[in-house]
Amino acid sequence: EMGSGLKIVPVGGGRPRQLCNARGGGATWNNDNVLLFAEYWGTGLYRVSADGGEVSPVGLQFLERIQRLVRERTFSQVAEKLIIEFAQLGSAAGWIGAAGLARQSYDSSFEAAP
């Protein structure tokens, strides 16, 4: 009996084969026989060989590439002070941010009223 983890099933059928203990929240299988996946929303990207083995993070390389490209395409005055990081709140960041903006808008609508 296999526990939880990232598994693959042969196209022709058969038993699932566990690749690693990580739980994938969605994965893609690339041409290099590597699966890229996120364990949970907002936690970064990971990779594991389709043959199984050790899980390694790829999110840092992805983040560094985005940071570099944005700095190359942004005015230097802005790029010097720009900080791009992973969300510290994980998957809750979007909801909390949206709720905060809605609250600000709601509060300011009463301040502007005569």
Side-chain angles (χ1 to χ4, degrees), residues 12 19 21-22 26-27 34 41-45 50 54 64 66 69 92 96 106:
L19 298 178
N21 288 329
V34 170
W41 290 106
T43 62
L45 296 173
E54 189 172 324
E64 288 170 347
I66 290 173
L69 289 171
I96 292 171
Y106 178 79

Side-chain angles (χ1 to χ4, degrees), residues 5-7 19-30 34-41 43-50 53-59:
L6 192 60
K7 302 174 184 75
L19 298 178
C20 60
N21 288 329
R23 295 188 325 201
T28 183
W29 199 324
N30 71 19
V34 170
L35 279 84
L36 300 173
F37 66 96
E39 282 196 279
Y40 302 99
W41 290 106
T43 62
L45 296 173
Y46 298 87
R47 63 182 282 141
V48 65
S49 168
E54 189 172 324
V55 173
S56 59
V58 295

Side-chain angles (χ1 to χ4, degrees), residues 49-102:
S49 168
D51 298 324
E54 189 172 324
V55 173
S56 59
V58 295
L60 186 57
Q61 293 136 355
F62 178 69
L63 178 64
E64 288 170 347
R65 183 171 182 203
I66 290 173
Q67 290 169 332
R68 180 179 51 81
L69 289 171
V70 168
R71 282 191 174 81
E72 288 173 1
R73 298 173 183 178
T74 304
F75 290 114
S76 59
Q77 297 87 344
V78 175
E80 290 172 3
K81 297 178 182 174
L82 183 65
I83 299 171
I84 300 173
E85 296 180 344
F86 286 119
Q88 298 297 311
L89 300 174
S91 62
W95 291 101
I96 292 171
L101 289 174

